[in-house]
Each structure stands twice: as structure tokens, then as C-alpha cells.
Amino acid sequence: MIKILVAEDEALSRMTLIHHLRRKLSDALIEGVSNGREAVDRAEKLNPELIFMDIEMPLLNGLEAATIIHKRQPETKIVFLTAFDRFDYAVGALRAGGNDYLLKPFDKAQIEDCLRKALHLENDDTDAETDDQSPFQIQFSVWLKNHYMDDVSLEQAADAMGMSAFYFSRLFRTSYNQTFLEYLTAYRVERAAELLRMTDIPVREIAPRVGYADANYFSKVFKRHTGETPTLYRQKNTVL
């Protein structure tokens, strides 16, 4: 049985990575820890073939933990994770015994490439369904359903996810292949279209219900996305 350890202090990031690994390696034993000291202790007991090691962690950082693990278990492969694109981190990772280095946020293809190189896996095109939502997407979708009608910003969304704006922005683009604003706008237009089709609420009242205080601006945004004004869209698509 393949054994993998994920050492990552951010709970959502740790859960997301474990989620991807379990989808790819359904028979593997995959465990997670939240700091460098736990990584050292758990690695000694688990003796994993592979460790995904975040660099920035409490108690012991990833480089310190990896140095200890590499001395005790030189056969264990270590892939370092970091949100900081710094050359000195890459050099430190290699010196600490690292086999690979991933810059967060990474996507499914990058994770699978790491697994193939570290565990010598064959390329497999029969993975689980690719339309499953990640834990990040699930958490974000719940937040969005409750806040799309508010005057929200990327910074507020990032804070709600427990992330920095920089990290959230990068993870969002990786997850959705869109910027936060592009996704938010499309979501608001979809909700507005539903209200236009299913209700007789005036356009000026629909605008604030989907996050736009200015009805004229809302109409411009709606037309840009659908090719029609809200009024014309309602005339053509109403189901009342």
C-alpha cells in the first residue's frame, strides 16, 4: 500500500490536496498533519513513500522538518509546497532533500505529474470524474450563495476563506479558470436572468437583489453578458 503524508498548516489547503490525492490513489493511505514537528513524528511512524511538505509551518518549518526526515528516512521522497515564488526557497528545498517543488496554488495536472515522477505511476486517463468540486469550490459556493447580493470584494471573499487576497486570487483562477470578478459577475447575471424569467419584479428592483445598486449599470452589465437588455430578455424568456 502506498503511504503519503501531507504536512500543511492551512486546513483548507491540506483538505484540498488530500481530496485530490485520494481521487487519484483510492487505495493509498493518506494522512495529514498541521506543523513541522507533527510531520517529523508522523513520518517516523508511518514511513511514507512520499511527503507533500509546506515550507511555511509553525514549530518547525518545512525545510527544517524535511532535513530531519531525510537523514532518518532517505528513501522517502519529499515534494515542497509554497505560495512564495522565491529562488532561495527552491534552493533550500533541494538542500533539505526535496525531490520536487510546487508553487501554490497548483492544479490537478501538476499533482498527478508529481505522483508519476515520485511514485513512478503510469499515466492514467481513467481518473474519477473531473467535474467534482474541490473543498475550496464547495466552501466558496456556499459563501457566494449568501453574499452575491452584497457589495463584496475579492479581499472580503479571501478573508472569509481564511486566505490572503494574493493566495485566494491565484487559487481561484486555478480552480475556475476565471478571475473572481468575472465569476461573480456571471453568477449575478445568471441569478438576475432567473428572476426575469420567473417573476414580474421590476428591473430596477432586481438590480439590488443581485448586487447592483445602480439599475442602469446593471442593465449594461446584463446586456454585455447576454446580448439583450433585461427588459428584452424578459419579453423573450418569461415563463409566467
Coordinates of all heavy atoms in Angstrom, one line a residue, residues 8-87:
E8 N 0.7 20.4 6.0 CA 0.2 21.7 5.6 C -0.6 22.3 6.7 O -1.5 21.7 7.2 CB -0.6 21.5 4.3 CG -1.5 22.7 4.0 CD -0.7 23.9 3.5 OE1 -0.3 24.0 2.4 OE2 -0.6 24.8 4.4
D9 N -0.2 23.6 7.1 CA -0.8 24.2 8.3 C -2.2 24.8 8.0 O -3.0 25.0 8.9 CB 0.1 25.2 9.0 CG 0.4 26.4 8.1 OD1 0.6 26.2 6.9 OD2 0.4 27.5 8.6
E10 N -2.4 25.1 6.7 CA -3.7 25.7 6.3 C -4.7 24.5 6.1 O -4.5 23.7 5.2 CB -3.6 26.5 5.0 CG -2.8 27.8 5.2 CD -2.8 28.7 4.0 OE1 -3.3 28.2 3.0 OE2 -2.2 29.8 4.0
A11 N -5.7 24.5 6.9 CA -6.7 23.3 6.9 C -7.3 23.1 5.6 O -7.4 22.0 5.1 CB -7.7 23.5 8.0
L12 N -7.8 24.2 4.9 CA -8.4 24.1 3.6 C -7.5 23.6 2.6 O -7.8 22.7 1.8 CB -9.1 25.4 3.2 CG -9.8 25.4 1.9 CD1 -11.0 24.4 2.0 CD2 -10.4 26.8 1.6
S13 N -6.3 24.1 2.5 CA -5.3 23.6 1.6 C -4.9 22.2 1.8 O -4.8 21.4 0.8 CB -4.0 24.5 1.7 OG -4.3 25.8 1.4
R14 N -4.8 21.8 3.1 CA -4.5 20.4 3.4 C -5.6 19.5 2.9 O -5.4 18.4 2.3 CB -4.2 20.2 4.9 CG -3.8 18.8 5.3 CD -3.4 18.8 6.8 NE -4.5 19.1 7.7 CZ -4.6 20.2 8.4 NH1 -3.7 21.2 8.3 NH2 -5.6 20.4 9.2
M15 N -6.8 19.9 3.2 CA -8.0 19.1 2.8 C -8.1 19.0 1.3 O -8.5 17.9 0.8 CB -9.3 19.7 3.5 CG -10.5 18.9 3.2 SD -11.9 19.6 4.2 CE -11.9 21.3 3.6
T16 N -7.9 20.1 0.6 CA -8.0 20.1 -0.8 C -7.0 19.1 -1.5 O -7.3 18.3 -2.4 CB -7.8 21.5 -1.4 OG1 -8.8 22.3 -0.9 CG2 -7.8 21.5 -2.9
L17 N -5.7 19.2 -1.0 CA -4.7 18.3 -1.5 C -5.0 16.8 -1.3 O -4.9 16.0 -2.1 CB -3.3 18.7 -1.0 CG -2.1 17.8 -1.4 CD1 -2.1 17.7 -2.9 CD2 -0.8 18.4 -0.9
I18 N -5.4 16.5 0.0 CA -5.8 15.1 0.3 C -6.9 14.7 -0.5 O -6.9 13.5 -1.0 CB -6.1 15.0 1.8 CG1 -4.8 15.2 2.7 CG2 -6.7 13.7 2.1 CD1 -5.1 15.3 4.2
H19 N -7.9 15.5 -0.8 CA -9.0 15.2 -1.7 C -8.5 14.8 -3.0 O -9.0 13.8 -3.6 CB -9.9 16.4 -1.7 CG -11.0 16.3 -2.8 ND1 -12.2 15.6 -2.6 CD2 -11.1 16.8 -4.0 CE1 -12.9 15.7 -3.7 NE2 -12.3 16.5 -4.5
H20 N -7.6 15.6 -3.6 CA -7.1 15.2 -5.0 C -6.3 13.9 -5.0 O -6.4 13.1 -5.9 CB -6.2 16.4 -5.5 CG -7.0 17.6 -6.0 ND1 -8.0 17.5 -6.9 CD2 -6.9 18.9 -5.6 CE1 -8.5 18.7 -7.2 NE2 -7.9 19.5 -6.4
L21 N -5.5 13.7 -3.9 CA -4.7 12.5 -3.8 C -5.6 11.3 -3.7 O -5.3 10.2 -4.3 CB -3.7 12.6 -2.7 CG -2.6 13.7 -2.8 CD1 -1.9 13.8 -1.5 CD2 -1.7 13.4 -3.9
R22 N -6.6 11.4 -2.9 CA -7.5 10.2 -2.7 C -8.3 9.9 -4.0 O -8.6 8.7 -4.2 CB -8.4 10.4 -1.5 CG -7.7 10.3 -0.2 CD -8.6 10.6 1.0 NE -7.8 10.3 2.2 CZ -8.2 10.8 3.4 NH1 -9.2 11.6 3.5 NH2 -7.4 10.5 4.5
R23 N -8.6 10.9 -4.8 CA -9.3 10.6 -6.0 C -8.4 9.9 -7.0 O -8.8 9.1 -7.8 CB -9.8 11.9 -6.6 CG -11.0 12.5 -6.0 CD -11.4 13.8 -6.6 NE -11.7 13.6 -8.0 CZ -11.7 14.6 -8.9 NH1 -11.4 15.8 -8.5 NH2 -12.0 14.4 -10.2
K24 N -7.1 10.2 -7.0 CA -6.1 9.6 -7.9 C -5.7 8.3 -7.4 O -5.5 7.3 -8.1 CB -4.9 10.6 -8.0 CG -3.8 10.0 -8.9 CD -4.3 9.9 -10.3 CE -3.2 9.4 -11.2 NZ -3.6 9.2 -12.6
L25 N -5.5 8.2 -6.0 CA -4.9 6.9 -5.4 C -5.9 6.4 -4.4 O -5.7 6.6 -3.2 CB -3.6 7.2 -4.8 CG -2.5 7.8 -5.7 CD1 -1.3 8.2 -4.9 CD2 -2.1 6.7 -6.8
S26 N -7.0 5.8 -4.8 CA -8.1 5.4 -3.9 C -7.6 4.3 -2.9 O -8.2 4.2 -1.8 CB -9.2 4.8 -4.8 OG -8.8 3.7 -5.6
D27 N -6.6 3.6 -3.2 CA -6.2 2.5 -2.3 C -5.0 3.0 -1.4 O -4.5 2.2 -0.6 CB -5.7 1.3 -3.1 CG -6.9 0.6 -3.8 OD1 -8.0 0.7 -3.3 OD2 -6.6 0.1 -4.9
A28 N -4.6 4.2 -1.5 CA -3.4 4.7 -0.7 C -3.8 5.1 0.7 O -5.0 5.4 0.9 CB -2.8 5.8 -1.4
L29 N -2.9 5.0 1.6 CA -3.1 5.5 2.9 C -2.5 6.9 3.0 O -1.3 7.1 2.8 CB -2.3 4.6 4.0 CG -2.4 5.1 5.4 CD1 -3.8 5.2 5.9 CD2 -1.5 4.2 6.3
I30 N -3.4 7.9 3.2 CA -3.0 9.3 3.1 C -3.4 10.0 4.4 O -4.6 10.0 4.8 CB -3.7 10.0 1.9 CG1 -3.4 9.3 0.6 CG2 -3.3 11.5 1.8 CD1 -4.2 9.8 -0.6
E31 N -2.4 10.6 5.1 CA -2.7 11.2 6.3 C -2.2 12.7 6.2 O -1.3 13.0 5.4 CB -1.9 10.5 7.5 CG -2.4 9.1 7.7 CD -1.8 8.5 9.0 OE1 -1.1 9.2 9.7 OE2 -2.1 7.3 9.2
G32 N -2.7 13.5 7.1 CA -2.4 14.9 7.1 C -1.9 15.4 8.5 O -2.5 14.9 9.5
V33 N -1.0 16.3 8.6 CA -0.6 17.0 9.8 C -0.5 18.5 9.6 O -0.4 18.9 8.4 CB 0.8 16.4 10.3 CG1 0.7 14.9 10.7 CG2 1.9 16.6 9.2
S34 N -0.4 19.2 10.7 CA -0.5 20.7 10.5 C 0.7 21.5 10.9 O 0.7 22.7 10.9 CB -1.7 21.2 11.4 OG -1.5 20.9 12.7
N35 N 1.8 20.8 11.3 CA 3.0 21.5 11.5 C 4.3 20.7 11.3 O 4.1 19.4 11.2 CB 3.0 22.1 13.0 CG 3.0 21.1 14.0 OD1 3.9 20.3 14.2 ND2 1.8 21.1 14.8
G36 N 5.4 21.3 11.3 CA 6.6 20.6 11.1 C 7.0 19.5 12.1 O 7.5 18.4 11.7
R37 N 6.7 19.8 13.3 CA 7.0 18.8 14.4 C 6.2 17.5 14.2 O 6.7 16.4 14.3 CB 6.8 19.4 15.8 CG 6.9 18.5 17.0 CD 8.3 17.7 16.9 NE 9.4 18.6 17.0 CZ 10.7 18.2 16.8 NH1 10.9 16.9 16.5 NH2 11.7 19.1 16.9
E38 N 4.9 17.7 13.9 CA 4.0 16.6 13.7 C 4.5 15.8 12.5 O 4.3 14.6 12.4 CB 2.6 17.1 13.5 CG 1.9 17.6 14.8 CD 0.4 18.0 14.5 OE1 0.1 18.1 13.3 OE2 -0.3 18.3 15.5
A39 N 5.0 16.5 11.5 CA 5.4 15.9 10.2 C 6.6 14.9 10.5 O 6.6 13.8 10.1 CB 5.8 16.9 9.2
V40 N 7.5 15.4 11.4 CA 8.7 14.6 11.7 C 8.2 13.3 12.5 O 8.6 12.2 12.2 CB 9.7 15.4 12.6 CG1 10.8 14.5 13.1 CG2 10.3 16.5 11.7
D41 N 7.4 13.5 13.5 CA 6.9 12.4 14.3 C 6.1 11.4 13.5 O 6.2 10.2 13.7 CB 6.1 13.0 15.5 CG 6.9 13.8 16.5 OD1 8.2 13.7 16.4 OD2 6.3 14.6 17.3
R42 N 5.2 12.0 12.7 CA 4.3 11.0 12.0 C 5.0 10.3 10.9 O 4.8 9.1 10.6 CB 3.1 11.8 11.4 CG 2.0 11.0 10.9 CD 1.4 10.2 12.0 NE 0.7 9.0 11.5 CZ 0.6 7.9 12.1 NH1 1.2 7.7 13.3 NH2 -0.1 6.8 11.7
A43 N 6.0 11.0 10.2 CA 6.8 10.3 9.2 C 7.6 9.1 9.8 O 7.7 8.1 9.1 CB 7.8 11.3 8.6
E44 N 8.1 9.2 11.0 CA 8.8 8.2 11.6 C 7.9 6.9 11.8 O 8.4 5.8 11.7 CB 9.4 8.6 12.9 CG 10.4 7.6 13.5 CD 11.2 8.2 14.7 OE1 10.9 9.3 15.1 OE2 12.2 7.6 15.1
K45 N 6.7 7.2 12.2 CA 5.7 6.1 12.5 C 5.1 5.5 11.2 O 4.9 4.3 11.0 CB 4.6 6.5 13.4 CG 5.1 6.9 14.8 CD 4.0 7.5 15.6 CE 4.5 7.9 17.0 NZ 3.5 8.6 17.8
L46 N 4.8 6.4 10.3 CA 4.1 6.0 9.0 C 5.1 5.4 8.0 O 4.7 4.5 7.2 CB 3.3 7.2 8.5 CG 2.5 6.9 7.2 CD1 1.3 6.0 7.6 CD2 1.9 8.3 6.7
N47 N 6.3 6.0 8.0 CA 7.3 5.6 6.9 C 6.7 5.8 5.5 O 6.6 4.8 4.8 CB 7.8 4.2 7.2 CG 9.0 3.9 6.3 OD1 9.8 4.8 6.0 ND2 9.2 2.7 6.0
P48 N 6.3 7.0 5.2 CA 5.6 7.2 3.9 C 6.6 7.1 2.7 O 7.8 7.4 2.9 CB 5.0 8.6 4.0 CG 5.9 9.3 5.0 CD 6.4 8.2 5.9
E49 N 6.1 6.7 1.6 CA 6.9 6.8 0.3 C 7.0 8.2 -0.1 O 8.0 8.6 -0.8 CB 6.2 6.0 -0.8 CG 6.4 4.5 -0.7 CD 5.3 3.9 0.2 OE1 4.5 4.6 0.8 OE2 5.2 2.6 0.2
L50 N 6.0 9.1 0.2 CA 6.0 10.4 -0.3 C 5.4 11.4 0.7 O 4.4 11.1 1.4 CB 5.2 10.5 -1.6 CG 4.9 11.9 -2.3 CD1 6.3 12.5 -2.7 CD2 4.0 11.7 -3.4
I51 N 6.1 12.6 0.8 CA 5.5 13.6 1.7 C 5.4 14.9 0.9 O 6.3 15.3 0.2 CB 6.5 13.9 2.9 CG1 6.7 12.7 3.8 CG2 6.0 15.1 3.7 CD1 7.7 12.9 4.9
F52 N 4.2 15.5 1.0 CA 4.0 16.8 0.5 C 4.2 17.8 1.7 O 3.4 17.7 2.6 CB 2.6 17.0 -0.1 CG 2.4 16.3 -1.4 CD1 2.0 15.0 -1.5 CD2 2.6 17.0 -2.6 CE1 1.8 14.3 -2.8 CE2 2.5 16.4 -3.9 CZ 2.1 15.0 -3.9
M53 N 5.2 18.6 1.6 CA 5.6 19.4 2.7 C 5.5 20.9 2.5 O 6.2 21.4 1.6 CB 7.1 19.0 3.1 CG 7.6 19.7 4.3 SD 7.2 19.0 5.8 CE 8.2 17.5 5.8
D54 N 4.6 21.6 3.2 CA 4.6 23.0 3.1 C 5.8 23.6 3.7 O 6.3 23.1 4.7 CB 3.3 23.5 3.8 CG 3.1 25.0 3.6 OD1 3.5 25.5 2.5 OD2 2.5 25.7 4.5
I55 N 6.3 24.7 3.2 CA 7.5 25.3 3.7 C 7.3 26.1 4.9 O 7.9 26.1 5.9 CB 8.3 26.1 2.6 CG1 8.9 25.1 1.6 CG2 9.4 26.9 3.2 CD1 9.6 25.8 0.5
E56 N 6.2 27.0 4.8 CA 5.9 27.9 5.9 C 4.9 27.2 6.9 O 3.7 27.1 6.7 CB 5.2 29.1 5.4 CG 6.2 30.0 4.6 CD 7.3 30.6 5.4 OE1 7.0 30.9 6.6 OE2 8.3 31.0 4.8
M57 N 5.5 26.6 8.0 CA 4.6 26.0 9.0 C 5.2 26.3 10.4 O 6.4 26.6 10.6 CB 4.7 24.4 8.8 CG 3.9 23.9 7.6 SD 3.7 22.1 7.7 CE 5.4 21.6 7.6
P58 N 4.3 26.2 11.4 CA 4.7 26.5 12.8 C 5.6 25.4 13.4 O 5.6 24.3 12.9 CB 3.4 26.7 13.6 CG 2.4 25.9 12.8 CD 2.9 26.0 11.3
L59 N 6.2 25.7 14.6 CA 7.0 24.8 15.4 C 8.3 24.4 14.6 O 9.4 24.8 15.1 CB 6.2 23.5 15.7 CG 5.0 23.7 16.6 CD1 4.4 22.4 17.0 CD2 5.2 24.6 17.8
L60 N 8.2 23.7 13.5 CA 9.3 23.5 12.6 C 8.8 23.9 11.2 O 7.8 23.5 10.8 CB 9.8 22.0 12.6 CG 10.6 21.5 13.8 CD1 10.9 20.0 13.5 CD2 11.9 22.2 13.9
N61 N 9.6 24.7 10.5 CA 9.2 24.9 9.1 C 9.5 23.7 8.3 O 10.1 22.7 8.7 CB 9.8 26.2 8.6 CG 11.3 26.1 8.3 OD1 11.8 25.1 7.9 ND2 12.0 27.2 8.7
G62 N 9.0 23.7 7.0 CA 9.1 22.5 6.2 C 10.5 22.1 5.9 O 10.8 21.0 5.8
L63 N 11.4 23.1 5.7 CA 12.8 22.8 5.4 C 13.5 22.2 6.6 O 14.2 21.2 6.4 CB 13.5 24.1 5.0 CG 13.0 24.9 3.8 CD1 13.8 26.1 3.5 CD2 13.1 24.0 2.5
E64 N 13.2 22.6 7.8 CA 13.8 22.0 9.0 C 13.2 20.6 9.2 O 14.0 19.7 9.5 CB 13.4 22.9 10.2 CG 14.1 24.3 10.2 CD 13.5 25.2 11.2 OE1 12.4 25.0 11.6 OE2 14.3 26.1 11.6
A65 N 12.0 20.4 9.0 CA 11.4 19.1 9.2 C 11.9 18.1 8.1 O 12.2 17.0 8.4 CB 9.8 19.2 9.1
A66 N 12.0 18.6 6.9 CA 12.5 17.7 5.8 C 13.9 17.3 6.0 O 14.3 16.2 5.7 CB 12.3 18.5 4.5
T67 N 14.7 18.2 6.5 CA 16.1 17.9 6.8 C 16.2 16.7 7.8 O 17.0 15.8 7.6 CB 16.9 19.1 7.4 OG1 16.9 20.2 6.4 CG2 18.3 18.8 7.7
I68 N 15.4 16.8 8.9 CA 15.4 15.7 9.9 C 14.9 14.4 9.2 O 15.5 13.3 9.4 CB 14.5 16.1 11.1 CG1 15.1 17.3 11.8 CG2 14.4 14.9 12.0 CD1 14.2 17.9 12.8
I69 N 13.8 14.5 8.5 CA 13.2 13.3 7.9 C 14.2 12.7 6.9 O 14.3 11.4 6.8 CB 11.9 13.6 7.2 CG1 10.8 14.0 8.3 CG2 11.4 12.5 6.4 CD1 9.6 14.6 7.8
H70 N 14.8 13.5 6.1 CA 15.7 13.0 5.1 C 16.9 12.2 5.7 O 17.4 11.2 5.1 CB 16.2 14.2 4.2 CG 17.1 13.7 3.0 ND1 16.6 12.9 2.0 CD2 18.4 13.9 2.8 CE1 17.5 12.7 1.1 NE2 18.6 13.3 1.6
K71 N 17.4 12.7 6.8 CA 18.5 12.0 7.5 C 18.1 10.6 8.0 O 18.8 9.7 8.0 CB 19.1 12.9 8.6 CG 19.8 14.1 8.1 CD 20.4 14.9 9.3 CE 21.1 16.1 8.8 NZ 21.6 16.9 10.0
R72 N 16.9 10.6 8.6 CA 16.3 9.4 9.2 C 15.8 8.4 8.1 O 15.9 7.2 8.3 CB 15.2 9.7 10.2 CG 15.7 10.5 11.4 CD 14.5 10.8 12.3 NE 14.9 11.6 13.4 CZ 14.0 12.0 14.3 NH1 12.7 11.8 14.2 NH2 14.4 12.7 15.4
Q73 N 15.1 9.0 7.1 CA 14.5 8.1 6.1 C 14.8 8.6 4.7 O 14.0 9.2 4.0 CB 13.0 8.2 6.3 CG 12.5 7.6 7.7 CD 11.1 8.1 8.1 OE1 11.0 9.2 8.7 NE2 10.1 7.4 7.7
P74 N 16.0 8.4 4.3 CA 16.5 9.0 3.0 C 15.7 8.5 1.8 O 15.8 9.1 0.7 CB 18.0 8.6 2.9 CG 18.1 7.4 3.8 CD 17.1 7.6 4.9
E75 N 15.0 7.3 1.9 CA 14.3 6.8 0.8 C 12.9 7.5 0.6 O 12.3 7.4 -0.5 CB 14.0 5.3 1.0 CG 13.0 4.9 2.0 CD 13.5 5.1 3.5 OE1 14.7 5.4 3.7 OE2 12.7 4.9 4.4
T76 N 12.5 8.3 1.6 CA 11.2 9.0 1.4 C 11.4 10.2 0.5 O 12.3 11.0 0.7 CB 10.7 9.4 2.8 OG1 10.5 8.3 3.6 CG2 9.4 10.3 2.7
K77 N 10.5 10.3 -0.5 CA 10.5 11.4 -1.4 C 9.7 12.6 -0.8 O 8.7 12.4 -0.2 CB 10.0 11.0 -2.8 CG 10.9 10.0 -3.5 CD 10.3 9.6 -4.8 CE 11.3 8.8 -5.6 NZ 11.6 7.5 -4.9
I78 N 10.2 13.8 -1.0 CA 9.6 15.0 -0.4 C 9.3 16.0 -1.6 O 10.2 16.4 -2.3 CB 10.4 15.6 0.7 CG1 10.7 14.6 1.8 CG2 9.8 16.9 1.2 CD1 11.6 15.1 2.9
V79 N 8.1 16.4 -1.6 CA 7.7 17.5 -2.6 C 7.3 18.7 -1.7 O 6.4 18.6 -0.9 CB 6.5 17.1 -3.4 CG1 6.0 18.2 -4.3 CG2 6.8 15.9 -4.3
F80 N 8.0 19.8 -1.9 CA 7.8 21.0 -1.1 C 6.7 21.9 -1.8 O 6.5 21.9 -3.0 CB 9.0 21.8 -1.0 CG 10.0 21.3 0.0 CD1 11.1 20.6 -0.4 CD2 9.8 21.5 1.3 CE1 12.0 20.0 0.5 CE2 10.7 21.0 2.3 CZ 11.8 20.3 1.8
L81 N 5.9 22.5 -0.9 CA 4.8 23.3 -1.3 C 5.0 24.7 -0.7 O 5.3 24.9 0.4 CB 3.4 22.8 -0.8 CG 3.2 21.3 -0.9 CD1 1.9 20.9 -0.1 CD2 3.1 20.9 -2.3
T82 N 4.8 25.7 -1.6 CA 4.9 27.1 -1.0 C 4.1 28.1 -1.9 O 3.9 27.8 -3.1 CB 6.3 27.6 -1.0 OG1 6.4 28.9 -0.4 CG2 7.0 27.6 -2.4
A83 N 3.6 29.1 -1.3 CA 2.8 30.2 -2.0 C 3.8 31.3 -2.5 O 3.4 32.2 -3.1 CB 1.7 30.7 -1.2
F84 N 5.1 31.1 -2.2 CA 6.1 32.2 -2.5 C 7.0 31.7 -3.6 O 7.7 30.7 -3.4 CB 6.8 32.6 -1.2 CG 6.0 33.0 -0.1 CD1 5.6 32.1 0.9 CD2 5.5 34.3 0.0 CE1 4.8 32.5 2.0 CE2 4.7 34.7 1.0 CZ 4.3 33.8 2.0
D85 N 7.0 32.4 -4.7 CA 7.9 32.1 -5.8 C 9.3 32.7 -5.6 O 9.6 33.7 -6.1 CB 7.3 32.6 -7.1 CG 8.0 32.1 -8.3 OD1 8.9 31.2 -8.1 OD2 7.7 32.5 -9.4
R86 N 10.1 32.1 -4.7 CA 11.4 32.6 -4.3 C 12.4 31.6 -4.7 O 12.3 30.4 -4.3 CB 11.4 33.0 -2.8 CG 10.6 34.2 -2.5 CD 10.6 34.4 -1.0 NE 11.8 34.2 -0.3 CZ 11.9 34.3 1.0 NH1 10.9 34.7 1.7 NH2 13.1 34.0 1.6
F87 N 13.5 32.1 -5.3 CA 14.6 31.2 -5.7 C 15.3 30.6 -4.5 O 15.6 29.4 -4.5 CB 15.6 32.0 -6.5 CG 16.8 31.1 -7.0 CD1 16.7 30.2 -7.9 CD2 18.0 31.3 -6.4 CE1 17.7 29.4 -8.3 CE2 19.1 30.5 -6.7 CZ 19.0 29.6 -7.7

